[in-house]
Amino acid sequence: MNERNGRKRILSGIQPTGNAHIGNYLGAIRHWVASQGEYESLFPIVDLHAITVPKDPKQLRAHIRETAGILYAAGIDPEQSTLFIQSHVSAHAELAWILNCFIPMGWMERMTQFKDKAGAARERVSVGLFDYPALMAADILIYDADLVPVGDDQRQHLEMTRDLAQRINSMFGKTLVVPEASIPPVGARIMGLDDPTSKMSKSETGQGHAIDLLDSPDEIRAKIRRAATDSSRVIEFDESRPGVNNLLVIYEAFTERTREDIEAHFDGKGYADLKRELSEVVIEGLRPLQERYREIRKEPGYLDAMLKEGADKVRPIADRTLRRVMDKVGLG
Ligand code: TYM
C-alpha cells in the first residue's frame, strides 16, 4: 500500500484565496516542484477549505483558476504531478465526515490555527472553520500519502492527522497510512513585512504585508522599501530582530547562498542596500513564474481541461480508500 512503482506519494494542498504570496512559494510550492520527479505528486486546490470563511462565489471560481495557473507557472509539470480541485473528488468530504466521528473534541480544541483565525469572533465563525483539520486529514489519508510537504504553520494539523491515522489503525487494524510532514529548513515561516512578528498570510489585507507572486516589480520594490526593520544598523541573522531577520531569510531562500556568505556580503552596508538588493532578487526570482503565468492565461480552456483530467485520474484512488474505510468501520 505504501509504495507505487517504487515511488512514494506526496500530497499537499493550497487554498484558492487569490493572492498566493512568497511565503506559499518558499514554504511549499517550490519544494513541490523540486521533488515532483522523485515522488508521485498530488496537489489539490482546496476549495472546500476556502469556504470555511465567507467567499464571493464568482471570485472563488476565478481564484481557483488563478491558483492553478500559478502552480503550473511555478513549474508544476502535468506530466509528473496531478493538480485537481478538491470538490471534484467527493470522497474527500465523505471521508472527512467519517473521520469526524473518530476525532475527540479535545484534539480539535487544541488547534492553534483555529484559535488564531477565530479570535474574538469564536461564536460567529462557521463550524467548518473549526472542523477544517478533519477535512485536511481526509485530503491526506484518502490517498495513502507518505509525505506532506508544507510550511511550518501546518505542523500541528499534520500531527493530528498522524494521531488520527494511528487511532483508526489501532481500532480497526491497519487501515490508513501514517503520513510524515516535510518542512523545509529555510523559508518554512516567512513573516509579514509590515509586522515581522506575525506569519505572512493571505487573509491579512494590509498593503505592505505580503509580496504576492503576481506583484509587479514596482509593487515589490515599494513593499520591501516600507518593510519594518529596527534601529540597529547591523545586518545579520538574528531572530531577536525579526524585521531584518525576515528580510535576510527571504534573501537566503531566493539566492540559496549560505548565511555566512550573505552576512559577509552585507557587512558594512545599510538597510537601504539590503532592501534594494533584496527587491531585485525577488523580482528576478519571480520573473519566470510571472511570464509563464501570462502565457498560460492566454489559452482559454487549458486550465479547466487540466483540472478535470487531474480529478478523473485521482478519483479512483480516493474511492478505493473510502470504500476500505467504510468497510472497516461497518458502514453500508
Ligand atoms: P495555505 O493555502 O494557507 O498555504 C499553502 C502552503 O503554503 C504554506 N505557507 C507558508 N510557508 C511559509 N511561510 C508562510 N508565511 C506561509 N504561509 C503559508 C503553508 O504551510 C502551505 O503548505 N491547510 C492548508 C491547505 C491544505 C493542505 C491539505 C495542506 C488543505 N489540505 C492537505 C497539506 C495537505 C492551507 O491552508 O494552506
Side-chain angles (χ1 to χ4, degrees), residues 51 53-63:
I51 61 164
V53 295
K55 286 273 149 35
D56 173 72
K58 251 201 188 133
Q59 261 189 7
L60 175 58
R61 206 160 283 129
H63 287 160

Side-chain angles (χ1 to χ4, degrees), residues 75-314:
I76 295 295
D77 174 0
E79 299 286 320
Q80 306 200 69
S81 299
T82 308
L83 198 64
F84 62 100
I85 301 177
Q86 180 191 36
S87 67
H88 285 181
V89 183
S90 59
H92 288 238
E94 293 173 76
L95 181 63
W97 175 260
I98 299 174
L99 296 178
N100 268 326
C101 300
F102 294 92
I103 301 173
M105 277 295 282
W107 290 10
M108 292 289 260
E109 280 168 352
R110 280 199 287 276
M111 294 293 123
T112 56
Q113 188 153 319
F114 174 74
K115 291 183 207 166
D116 291 348
K117 284 199 172 174
R122 202 185 159 89
E123 296 296 313
R124 290 191 304 280
V125 296
S126 74
V127 174
L129 188 67
F130 181 71
D131 199 34
Y132 183 111
L135 179 60
M136 181 164 160
D139 296 339
I140 298 166
L141 299 176
I142 203 146
Y143 297 107
D144 293 330
D146 301 290
L147 272 180
V148 186
V150 283
D152 185 67
D153 60 337
Q154 300 301 317
R155 193 184 289 273
Q156 195 188 28
H157 290 160
L158 254 296
E159 274 161 20
M160 199 210 71
T161 303
R162 285 170 57 82
D163 290 346
L164 180 59
Q166 274 155 355
R167 182 179 167 88
I168 288 182
N169 288 345
S170 69
M171 290 171 82
F172 301 105
K174 182 111 185 73
T175 308
L176 296 167
V177 171
V178 181
E180 274 182 42
S182 166
I183 297 175
V186 176
R189 195 172 185 81
I190 301 296
M191 310 304 278
L193 296 183
D194 54 347
D195 172 12
T197 61
S198 73
K199 180 193 74 165
M200 187 176 283
S201 148
K202 284 184 274 193
S203 44
E204 270 310 318
T205 49
Q207 264 298 305
H209 173 75
I211 298 176
D212 293 345
L213 296 177
L214 300 179
D215 275 350
S216 70
D218 282 346
E219 284 168 320
I220 294 172
R221 286 189 194 101
K223 286 178 178 178
I224 294 180
R225 200 178 318 117
R226 285 199 306 269
T229 49
D230 54 41
S231 55
S232 160
R233 293 166 55 96
V234 187
I235 299 179
E236 56 189 20
F237 289 88
D238 177 356
E239 284 183 12
S240 71
R241 292 167 48 215
V244 174
N245 196 68
N246 190 39
L247 297 180
L248 285 170
V249 167
I250 297 171
Y251 188 92
E252 179 188 18
F254 271 104
T255 61
E256 296 180 351
R257 289 165 67 169
T258 66
R259 293 193 164 196
E260 297 71 45
D261 189 19
I262 294 168
E263 286 177 349
H265 175 73
F266 285 111
D267 188 26
K269 296 188 182 173
Y271 290 163
D273 300 307
L274 169 62
K275 288 180 167 181
R276 201 173 321 108
E277 288 196 38
L278 176 63
S279 299
E280 298 316 308
V281 159
V282 174
I283 290 166
E284 286 314 311
L286 296 182
R287 191 187 300 281
L289 181 157
Q290 296 189 349
E291 284 172 3
R292 279 197 295 267
Y293 181 79
R294 284 191 286 271
E295 289 302 311
I296 289 169
R297 296 312 308 248
K298 277 190 206 153
E299 287 182 58
Y302 173 78
L303 290 174
D304 281 312
M306 295 305 291
L307 291 167
K308 179 177 182 309
E309 200 176 289
D312 290 346
K313 197 160 139 199
V314 298

Side-chain angles (χ1 to χ4, degrees), residues 61-74:
R61 206 160 283 129
H63 287 160
I64 292 170
R65 273 78 197 164
E66 179 183 307
T67 306
I70 286 177
L71 293 177
Y72 286 128

